[in-house]
Amino acid sequence: MTAFPLLDPALCFVILTTAVLAVAIRTVFAAVVSFIVFGLLMAIAWVRLGAVDVALTEAAIGAGLTGVLLLSTVARIAKHRADRGDDVPILEGPEPDPAPTDPLPGLATQSLAIVLSAAVAAALVAAVALLPVPAPGLVAEVGSRLSETGVESPVTAVLLAYRGYDTLLEIVVLLFALLGVWSLTADARWGGQPGLRHLARPDGVMAYLGRLLPPIGLLVGVYLFWIGGYRPGGAFQAGTVLAAVWLLAVMAGLVPIPKVSGIRLRLALVIGPAVFLAIGLAGYPLHGAFLGYPPAIAKVLIILIEAGLTISIATILGLLVAGAPEERPS
Amino acid sequence: MSVDSLFTQPGLYGVTGALAIGIGVYGLIVRPHLVRKIIAVNMVGSGVFLLFGAVADRAAPGPGGDPVPHAMIITGIVVALSATALAATLTLRLSRETGRTALPPEPEDPAVQDKES
């Protein structure tokens, strides 16, 4: 920090600049790109704050998957326009905002919005300035019983041992979100492949990257899953990387996305929550509490849960980004 | 308990988070396009995470830090993605069914609503 005294202020300045761009820039496409840059810069901010686990998650999910999701949403909206016969070229016509049909709020609303958002920001800045000293924290409490969890990474211990309940409910939230996405499928398209069919040129850069990167991504994903017990990493980061290389291969047209009705796909979706629940219930006879791990085998149980979670998270995240089926099943 | 705490490293990132929240709130209100509203909500979320992480960083500065807030933020980022995916799918359904990418303006008078429905 001492070597570059201006690094933090400069980083914060660029973060806020991209934030303003994402709100103020003319086209929706440019706004999405600004938001992706914003997310990547946020990941660097997390590294500066010493939160490498959060940085990995923010880069992979906050910027990466959210970015792909929003870009594909913009592309699909353009395709809907083209399907309806509106005069908007699919690739050359970035969606302007406001579109001619969308009403902008009046001047009074805009002024009120400025006042309101400035008030919110000012109140939060004041709250930061008025925080009590010394700051409270849970570092000592987490460290004092870390050895009983069998894992060395404190963040993994919090996610899967101390606050295992949160993570169990989190994976269920992911599953419910996917059910919500699927339930928005139009009746005629139910049972088809999620998302649009991707057709990449066989000699294009996408097909090339789709072949080059998945082996590397697989290795990185498995590494992140395994290292999560010791250092920053874990099921969520690993699952995200695996989902990303899967989506890459799908977009390159190399592998089809399985149909939503496929039984193997559904097994992959539920294996994580199922293993988590089973081990959690086994905690009653083994250790006298739901999600109680006997210290002797805690590490094995946590790795088992993480392995199941990695598979399910990769599948769920990939399918969340792919979206509801858009074409009739053939 | 002073303005000085804003000029420390955690304070700086806390202020950045607070301003990102403000920018997101403005975008959410003013921009009609639903994809831009989704971006704005995500920006508010990112700002909340940064504010939270920066405030927590005061207790345990440097690498490592306090793992409890970090784990909560990781959970938050994942849940934000699932909410974003659901919102994007709702937007796509609206776009496919109606061709619109913004919500229709609210009728000023309840009687107008009755007449339309």
Side-chain angles (χ1 to χ4, degrees):
Chain A
M1 184 173 160
T2 46
F4 303 100
L6 287 178
L7 182 58
D8 289 314
L11 182 59
C12 290
F13 176 75
V14 184
I15 285 176
L16 291 174
T17 308
T18 50
V20 170
L21 276 181
V23 168
I25 210 160
R26 195 176 62 87
T27 66
V28 176
F29 177 78
V32 172
V33 173
S34 304
F35 180 72
I36 295 172
V37 178
F38 170 83
L40 289 173
L41 293 169
M42 286 288 279
I44 301 176
W46 287 116
V47 175
R48 295 293 300 158
L49 285 170
V52 180
D53 284 275
V54 183
L56 283 170
T57 314
E58 173 69 35
I61 298 185
L65 283 188
T66 308
V68 175
L69 177 69
L70 292 176
L71 284 177
S72 81
T73 305
V74 172
R76 277 192 229 179
I77 289 172
K79 186 171 182 298
H80 291 174
R81 291 257 156 91
D83 288 350
R84 298 175 79 88
D86 296 359
D87 188 23
V88 178
I90 292 182
L91 287 175
E92 287 92 324
E95 179 97 350
D97 180 35
T101 49
D102 298 341
L104 258 187
L107 203 60
T109 312
Q110 291 196 36
S111 317
L112 273 176
I114 289 179
V115 172
L116 179 70
S117 52
V120 168
L124 291 170
V125 169
V128 173
L130 297 175
L131 283 169
V133 182
L138 292 168
V139 181
E141 286 82 350
V142 170
S144 64
R145 303 189 70 177
L146 191 59
S147 60
E148 286 177 39
T149 67
V151 294
E152 290 167 33
S153 164
V155 174
T156 303
V158 172
L159 279 174
L160 288 163
Y162 300 134
R163 308 281 308 164
Y165 209 73
D166 287 0
T167 308
L168 176 60
L169 291 179
E170 176 186 7
I171 186 73
V172 175
V173 165
L174 277 179
L175 210 46
F176 274 19
L178 183 62
L179 290 182
V181 166
W182 281 4
S183 64
L184 287 165
T185 312
D187 284 349
R189 301 184 181 88
W190 177 251
Q193 289 173 349
L196 291 174
R197 189 170 302 138
H198 291 278
L199 295 171
R201 290 211 322 274
D203 55 347
V205 68
M206 200 68 198
Y208 174 67
L209 290 177
R211 285 189 175 83
L212 183 71
L213 292 180
I216 304 170
L218 275 177
L219 191 65
V220 172
V222 174
Y223 172 80
L224 279 173
F225 150 65
W226 183 251
I227 203 69
Y230 310 91
R231 291 195 187 90
F236 285 96
Q237 293 89 340
T240 312
V241 171
L242 294 177
V245 290
W246 185 35
L247 287 169
L248 191 62
V250 166
M251 286 177 188
L254 298 173
V255 293
I257 291 194
K259 290 182 173 160
V260 296
S261 48
I263 188 75
R264 281 170 60 190
L265 184 77
R266 296 193 179 184
L267 280 177
L269 290 177
V270 297
I271 187 166
V275 168
F276 209 154
L277 261 181
I279 291 179
L281 289 173
Y284 280 119
L286 290 176
H287 205 60
F290 183 62
L291 286 172
Y293 317 133
I297 54 166
K299 171 95 190 235
V300 180
L301 293 180
I302 287 179
I303 294 287
L304 268 178
I305 295 173
E306 286 230 82
L309 281 183
T310 303
I311 296 171
S312 288
I313 290 167
T315 318
I316 295 174
L317 290 181
L319 291 172
L320 275 179
V321 172
E326 288 250 350
E327 288 171 20
R328 283 159 206 280
S330 48
Chain B
M1 279 186 74
S2 68
V3 178
D4 291 345
S5 63
L6 293 179
F7 294 98
T8 58
Q9 193 200 27
L12 185 62
Y13 284 103
V15 170
T16 306
L19 293 178
I21 294 170
I23 296 167
V25 168
Y26 176 76
L28 179 65
I29 299 173
V30 166
R31 286 301 189 167
H33 198 290
L34 287 170
V35 172
R36 301 194 79 138
K37 287 197 190 290
I38 295 174
I39 292 176
V41 170
N42 271 289
M43 189 163 292
V44 173
S46 293
V48 170
F49 298 144
L50 188 60
L51 183 64
F52 180 31
V55 168
D57 186 65
R58 301 180 318 133
D66 193 337
V68 178
H70 290 180
M72 291 170 76
I73 293 167
I74 290 173
T75 307
I77 292 174
V78 175
V79 171
L81 173 73
S82 49
T84 304
L86 192 55
T89 313
L90 282 166
T91 304
L92 283 174
R93 188 70 196 269
L94 180 77
S95 146
R96 182 179 274 286
E97 301 297 330
T98 68
R100 298 186 64 98
T101 49
L103 298 175
E106 288 180 33
E108 308 264 332
D109 186 357
V112 179
Q113 202 169 15
D114 289 347
K115 213 177 283 176
E116 281 179 352
S117 60

